[in-house]
Amino acid sequence: MLAREVLEELVQVLGRENVLTEQEDLLTYSYDATAAMKHQKPDVVVSPLSTEQVAEVVKIAQRYQVPIYPRGSGTNLSGGTIPVQGGIVLSMLNLNKILEMDQDNLTATVQPGVIIQELNDEAAKHGLIYPPDPGTVTTATMGGSVSECSGGLRGLKYGVTKHYIMGLTIVLANGKIIRWGGKTVKNVTGYDLVALFTGAEGTLGIITEMIVKLIPAPETRKSVLGVFDNLDKAGNAIAAIIRNKVIPATLEIMDKVTIQTVEHFVHAGLPLNAEAVLLCEVDGYKEVVERESVLVERILQEEGAVEVKVAKNDQERDLLWLARRSALPALAQKRPTTVLEDATVPRSKIPDMLKIIRKIADKHNLQIATFGHAGDGNLHPTILTDERDQDEMQRVHLAVDEIFQGAIALGGTLSGEHGIGIAKMGFLGLEFGEAGVEVLKHIKEALDPNYMLNPGKIVRRD
Ligand SMILES: Cc1cc2nc3c(=O)[nH]c(=O)nc-3n(C[C@H](O)[C@H](O)[C@H](O)COP(=O)(O)OP(=O)(O)OC[C@H]3O[C@@H](n4cnc5c(N)ncnc54)[C@H](O)[C@@H]3O)c2cc1C
């Protein structure tokens, strides 16, 4: 329960209309897109309109020692926005302006509440793109996406969010405002705080403005679907495409459970009896796209695809990608709870990881569908379950542990793009060891000694 003075000071800074305290309102901020997480209502939700207001809110929170949880659209998959200790949810949705499109420097300056697709729509008017495109591109905010360092479908060729963040304005835990980085392509002045705050999940500071890199839109693109009667062959084909020096913009995999579920959901013409499909898109100049798509077709055939289809027009292409983008919502309809993981391995280890996931599913008698950004090694084993079934959930937890252990044993990582939040905190030692986790804590305590910013995420106070 917040002291009355805290609410009064918040209202004074932000106005009554930007301070929510009704229980029904608070309820909607008690969870995010993460499955099987304990919900917790905040005491208040505030929506600042400027960097200065964010700084004022942080100062109030510090004065009264109230935790603050920055929040965009709440689509993260690691429990990152759940206000675990109550306190203030800081909704960034009112800071939603695209402040500048700079065509000479190929940058955009945006506020954190801008939806990623809005930036892309604006960039498209200038023949440019902002490549990071998580599945939630039409709902997720730039602030949330930068704070999670989102990946997405185009990671293989274009990289992830951190490769496009050039400058940040940040409100620190002490209420001071810093600006780091900028529009220069080169910048090695001091420590790289832009990199540090990108992917910090709101635990080190609050991002109120960002300068992002844009790139010229590719001239054209072509999508190729490879159908496999064997999951291993599909896994091997991924490495073969890259080995042949083709770097597709997107190279995705869907296994049998995913294909069948998605097909019933969107009717894209996916083969219902296939064990796996690979969906590949090459983009760039017309001549290059022609050459590369022919090469991809040939490699898929050589690697044992039973069928290879090239999308003949935009309509066919869009349908294929709609199918891929629908994987999670479609799977989510099968059982009440969908536990989505994003353990990631070097791409050469994809066949091994697929085998490990299959073994884990059999061992624990669980239904695990796998799809994901196979070209960058980022698989999404998705456990279809029911959080009310305690026996099954125990098996789910064991399976998740084993998926992480399997990925790390193959030289991979706990998270390719969904971040750590609450969900994966307990596993950090597996990847970094005790000394590594201590480094994370030292950084947290240097910037937020009282654990006020998004507490209970990534690192916990001892
Ligand atoms: C169906 C589905 C598909 C998805 N597909 C992908 C995918 O392909 N790739 C991928 O990477 N992710 C994916 N995600 C995860 C998620 O959509 C992304 O991480 C997204 O970028 C989060 O944006 P958001 O606005 O919802 O952030 P939120 O969920 O609101 O916040 C995310 C984190 O950022 C912090 N935060 C938010 N705003 C700020 C700020 N201004 N300053 C500091 N910290 C802040 C929050 O405290 C939290 O820790 C998917 C999620 C769903 C539900």
Side-chain angles (χ1 to χ4, degrees):
M1 187 69 175
L2 277 189
R4 211 189 57 236
E5 299 89 309
V6 180
L7 283 179
E8 283 170 3
E9 288 194 33
L10 289 171
V11 168
Q12 213 168 25
V13 171
L14 301 166
R16 189 80 201 85
E17 65 284 11
N18 294 315
V19 178
L20 301 179
T21 50
E22 293 292 331
Q23 291 304 311
E24 290 85 349
D25 291 329
L26 300 182
L27 189 64
T28 57
Y29 293 86
S30 65
Y31 59 94
D32 52 33
T34 321
M37 280 275 154
K38 194 168 170 277
H39 296 181
Q40 169 70 52
K41 275 192 280 186
D43 294 298
V44 60
V45 178
V46 300
S47 304
L49 295 160
S50 65
T51 299
E52 290 67 30
Q53 284 192 349
V54 172
E56 286 309 311
V57 171
V58 172
K59 284 181 197 158
I60 295 170
Q62 277 293 359
R63 247 192 327 276
Y64 293 95
Q65 292 290 289
V66 183
I68 303 184
Y69 311 86
R71 180 178 170 116
S73 296
T75 68
N76 76 87
L77 293 165
S78 51
T81 45
I82 299 177
V84 283
Q85 297 174 13
I88 303 171
V89 163
L90 189 68
S91 167
M92 306 306 283
L93 295 180
N94 277 347
L95 281 165
N96 56 8
K97 293 193 182 52
I98 296 175
L99 301 170
E100 188 193 39
M101 300 293 290
D102 181 340
Q103 291 189 70
D104 294 337
N105 288 305
L106 293 188
T107 61
T109 304
V110 302
Q111 291 185 321
V114 168
I115 302 297
I116 306 169
Q117 188 60 43
E118 291 170 354
L119 172 59
N120 258 318
D121 290 345
E122 197 54 41
K125 293 180 191 163
H126 305 280
L128 299 169
I129 57 168
Y130 171 70
D133 65 338
T136 41
V137 68
T138 55
T139 41
T141 62
M142 288 297 295
S145 177
V146 171
S147 301
E148 291 289 351
C149 189
S150 301
L153 274 66
R154 293 193 285 217
L156 174 57
K157 178 170 177 179
Y158 293 107
V160 298
T161 299
K162 66 182 171 191
H163 301 118
Y164 294 88
I165 307 307
M166 298 175 71
L168 293 175
T169 300
I170 300 153
V171 175
L172 298 172
N174 58 14
K176 292 186 180 165
I177 299 167
I178 59 167
R179 292 190 173 77
W180 223 265
K183 291 185 181 178
T184 61
V185 172
K186 291 179 172 174
N187 180 337
V188 292
T189 308
Y191 298 131
D192 190 351
L193 295 195
V194 173
L196 179 64
F197 281 86
T198 303
E201 302 184 24
T203 61
L204 301 179
I206 295 157
I207 299 169
T208 59
E209 209 172 289
M210 51 209 98
I211 300 173
V212 305
K213 175 167 127 182
L214 305 172
I215 61 169
E219 187 180 274
T220 188
R221 54 200 179 179
K222 212 163 204 180
S223 296
V224 185
L225 179 80
V227 179
F228 290 84
D229 59 6
N230 175 306
L231 202 51
D232 294 335
K233 284 186 196 165
N236 292 332
I238 294 161
I241 292 173
I242 311 293
R243 206 166 43 242
N244 279 278
K245 318 253 175 332
V246 178
I247 307 294
T250 309
L251 181 48
E252 299 283 308
I253 191 167
M254 289 192 271
D255 73 354
K256 190 171 193 165
V257 183
T258 313
I259 296 166
Q260 293 183 343
T261 314
V262 163
E263 184 53 24
H264 289 126
F265 195 68
V266 293
H267 308 294
L270 297 178
L272 287 172
N273 54 357
E275 283 298 320
V277 294
L278 288 186
L279 192 47
C280 177
E281 182 163 282
V282 288
D283 69 359
Y285 291 111
K286 206 162 155 247
E287 299 73 13
V288 175
V289 168
E290 274 311 314
R291 235 174 75 184
E292 289 192 337
S293 59
V294 170
L295 197 52
V296 168
E297 264 186 272
R298 206 190 70 209
I299 297 165
L300 290 173
Q301 273 152 359
E302 283 171 2
E303 293 297 321
V306 290
E307 192 187 349
V308 178
K309 277 198 234 173
V310 181
K312 287 190 218 66
N313 48 43
D314 278 355
Q315 207 182 350
E316 275 190 25
R317 174 201 174 267
D318 291 348
L319 198 55
L320 285 177
W321 289 106
L322 175 68
R324 166 57 190 89
R325 284 190 185 277
S326 303
L328 182 55
L331 288 167
Q333 294 202 329
K334 289 205 84 157
R335 297 283 312 274
T337 309
T338 316
V339 176
L340 175 82
E341 288 307 340
D342 76 325
T344 301
V345 293
R347 77 172 73 86
S348 59
K349 301 288 184 194
I350 287 261
D352 298 327
M353 192 64 207
L354 289 169
K355 277 182 215 147
I356 288 176
I357 294 167
R358 248 178 303 165
K359 262 198 199 150
I360 293 172
D362 291 345
K363 178 175 166 194
H364 296 290
N365 189 22
L366 291 168
Q367 197 176 19
I368 307 185
T370 300
F371 63 94
H373 319 300
D376 47 44
N378 183 194
L379 291 176
H380 290 312
T382 303
I383 309 178
L384 309 178
T385 181
D386 182 348
E387 62 184 298
R388 294 165 301 186
D389 180 340
Q390 289 192 355
D391 168 60
E392 188 165 303
M393 283 312 286
Q394 253 175 3
R395 284 182 279 124
V396 169
H397 292 310
L398 290 173
V400 168
D401 285 11
E402 289 172 22
I403 289 172
F404 290 146
Q405 282 161 11
I408 288 173
L410 292 175
T413 180
L414 289 175
S415 176
E417 55 182 20
H418 294 165
I420 299 303
I422 307 172
K424 292 176 205 162
M425 281 174 76
F427 298 98
L428 283 173
L430 261 184
E431 186 160 338
F432 297 138
E434 210 181 305
V437 175
E438 265 173 30
V439 172
L440 292 179
K441 276 194 185 150
H442 289 324
I443 293 172
K444 170 73 174 170
E445 287 167 12
L447 286 162
D448 180 20
N450 300 324
Y451 283 71
M452 301 273 307
L453 297 179
N454 210 3
K457 319 290 162 62
I458 305 185
V459 286
R460 198 178 280 132
R461 203 198 306 241
D462 289 327

